[in-house]
Every structure is written in structure tokens, then in C-alpha cells.
Amino acid sequence: MLTRPDVLVLGGGGVLGEAWLMGVLAGIEDAGGIDMRECENFVGTSAGSIVAAHLVAGDSPRRPPSVDADVPEASRAPADGLAAAAAAAARRTGAWAGAIGASFAPLALGVATPGGALLRAAMLQRIPEPRSTLNGLRAHVERSRARFDGRLRVAAVDRRSGRRVMFGSPGAPHASVAEAVTASCTVPWLFGPVEIGGREYVDGGVWSPTNLDAAPAGRDTQVLCLNPTASVTGSSSVLTLVRTVARSAVSVEALVLRRRGAAVQLVAPSVESAAVMGTNFMDREPSGRVLVAGYRQGLRLARAKAAAS
């Protein structure tokens, strides 16, 4: 039996990132004999916040009906609100914004202005506010009855200040889990900002793909970080930038935790998972196949770790 991580960090990655996260966690549970719902702390960014809220609400990670077939799962995805809203937004903004901007522009924005909150805020202010919202996703999270119980932290960015806010952490603005998750998933290119306590918030991925450094971890803390965007495929300059950013940002954040004495394991999509995910992480159609690939990867991860211990 594997040792369950103390802290689970789940990165952003759109509809397909959510499916991959679910699959990997389910595979680890089934092969490792552990329950990820019992982790001491969770950090979620964008799609990762959906999965983290799912676990805090007491729901097990979604499993594919079969690991030997490409089974479509889109109609039963918990991120239904995100998928439907993304499809509508893509129709309004065009194919490029839907395919590239939906998943990757927030990361490029965060990297273009490292540590420059004021410049980041200025850029966010210049982006026209889209009409699309994530009200469907908010309703889904509300139905889950997830609550901030001291274990969950959700990353978002204050649109006016350009600074990161970790909802659920000590001193953070008051918000419901549904409000925080919706804000964390609000890609500024596609969706209108979410207002909480009189301030507007957007996608936590604008700051970092995973916000790993915000994990409550110290000496001997075991941290598992799943980063859906670390293996983005494609050869365009935008995709190359995103892939480089996702890897380097998380590596730096992992170093921060390791200096505190934490043990950090970083997991990116396998070759199989990355191939199925492709470049449009907001595309609902391959979500069933991504869930299967993620589940297979989770099984392999758990078995390899058990064999090495």
C-alpha cells in the first residue's frame, strides 16, 4: 500500500485537464490502496480547483467504465458548466481564442510579467470583458456542498491589483467554494470576471499553472503536484512558450517547498495522455479518452512507486 500524500496540488488545464486529473487520481487510488479524499490539504487552480472541491465534498475521483476502450464521458463530466461555457465562448471569439487562448493565454500573461502585479493588472484591465459566464459550473459546485473546512485553498487573481488570492487560506477574502472555484476557472479571454466582496477575480492560472508554492507544507510534508499543462504538445511558438512556462514555473515553486523541507513529487501527462489531450484543452470531445489515459497513467505511477519502496 502506498503512503497517501499530505498535500495534493492540482493544476489548471481546462476541460481535458480536469478529465486527466480525475483519471490519474482514480488510478493511483485503485493501484495504491489509498483514498485521496483524506489528504490533509488541497491546492486547486482553475480545473484543478474543480477536482479539489470534488474531493473535499467527499466524492471519489471519477473512473472510466473501461480502461480498454475509448469511451466518451463528456456528458457525465463534472465540469459540464465549464465545457458548455467554453464551447459558447469559442463560437463568439473564434477558433484561435477558443483553442489557444482558453487554456494557454493566462499562462503566457502570468509569465510575461513575473512578479509585476501592476503590469499584470493593467493588461487584465485592457482585455474586453466577454459576455460568457461560468454560472453552470458555479451551480454544479454549489450542488456538491463543498465547504472551506481548513483543508482547501483555491487560487484566483484580483483583476484590479493583479495579485494572487488563495481563497480558503488564513486572511483570504470570504467566499464560498462555488464562488472561489468559478473565479479560479474564469479565463479572462473567454469569461467575464467573477465578483466576490466587491472585487473582480479571474483565473488562478494567470499567476501560475499550479500555484504549488502556496501549499501549506513544511519539513517532512509529502506533496504530490499534478500539472496537466506541463506536457503540452505542438510546435507553434505559443505552445512552446506555454510548455516552457508550465515546466519552469512549477520547478521554481517546487524548489521553494523543498527549501522548507517538504518532499515534492511532480507529475505531468505521460506521452499517451499528452497525445490524447492534444492542444485544445477546452475541447469536450476527447474527455472520455483522456480520462482513460489518465487512469492508466495513475495505475502505472502507483505500481512503480510501490515497486520502488
Side-chain angles (χ1 to χ4, degrees):
M1 180 178 292
L2 293 181
T3 301
R4 185 184 64 250
D6 301 309
V7 182
L8 183 61
V9 178
L10 304 173
V15 175
L16 299 187
E18 182 273 337
W20 177 77
L21 291 168
M22 284 285 194
V24 171
L25 293 173
I28 291 174
E29 284 193 344
D30 289 352
I34 58 178
D35 189 338
M36 288 298 190
R37 295 173 297 181
E38 296 178 358
C39 291
E40 294 178 9
N41 293 103
F42 301 87
V43 175
T45 298
S46 199
S49 71
I50 299 173
V51 180
H54 186 83
L55 296 172
V56 169
D59 298 322
S60 295
R62 190 167 79 259
R63 286 155 170 79
S66 169
V67 297
D68 299 317
D70 293 337
V71 182
E73 287 288 309
S75 62
R76 297 196 288 129
D80 248 2
L82 178 60
R91 287 193 295 271
R92 291 194 181 101
T93 58
W96 186 89
I100 304 299
S103 299
F104 308 133
L107 302 183
L109 175 60
V111 168
T113 60
L118 292 178
L119 183 54
R120 183 183 290 107
M123 294 175 72
L124 287 171
Q125 292 294 318
R126 286 198 292 268
I127 299 171
E129 291 190 20
R131 291 178 293 165
S132 297
T133 67
L134 290 173
N135 291 336
L137 174 62
R138 178 172 175 170
H140 165 78
V141 179
E142 286 175 343
R143 288 193 297 271
S144 77
R145 300 186 182 278
R147 297 290 182 270
F148 282 118
D149 58 1
R151 299 186 299 155
L152 175 63
R153 299 186 181 189
V154 174
V157 170
D158 185 310
R159 183 169 177 262
R160 183 166 297 277
S161 71
R163 296 186 180 279
R164 178 177 68 184
V165 172
M166 297 301 301
F167 288 106
S169 65
H174 175 75
S176 69
V177 171
E179 289 174 326
V181 168
T182 305
S184 189
C185 293
T186 297
V187 178
W189 272 258
L190 291 182
F191 309 116
V194 174
E195 183 174 327
I196 301 174
R199 299 192 69 86
E200 294 181 333
Y201 296 93
V202 296
D203 197 311
V206 170
W207 186 274
S208 161
T210 65
N211 292 284
L212 173 60
D213 61 309
R219 185 165 300 280
D220 298 326
T221 303
Q222 301 293 316
V223 180
L224 174 61
C225 175
L226 305 185
N227 182 11
T229 60
S231 295
V232 174
T233 59
S235 58
S236 75
S237 58
V238 172
L239 296 179
T240 299
L241 170 63
V242 171
R243 182 168 55 243
T244 302
V245 168
R247 291 174 177 172
S248 60
V250 176
S251 295
V252 171
E253 292 171 352
L255 181 60
V256 170
L257 294 191
R258 287 170 178 146
R259 285 177 173 170
R260 297 180 199 162
V264 182
Q265 180 182 8
L266 303 176
V267 176
S270 63
V271 173
E272 177 193 9
S273 294
V276 178
M277 294 168 82
T279 59
N280 183 359
F281 281 26
M282 284 296 195
D283 184 3
R284 182 175 182 166
E285 189 277 328
S287 61
R289 298 190 296 278
V290 172
L291 182 69
V292 171
Y295 184 78
R296 290 172 179 158
Q297 183 177 352
L299 293 175
R300 290 192 296 269
L301 283 169
R303 289 166 182 165
K305 196 170 183 65
S309 60

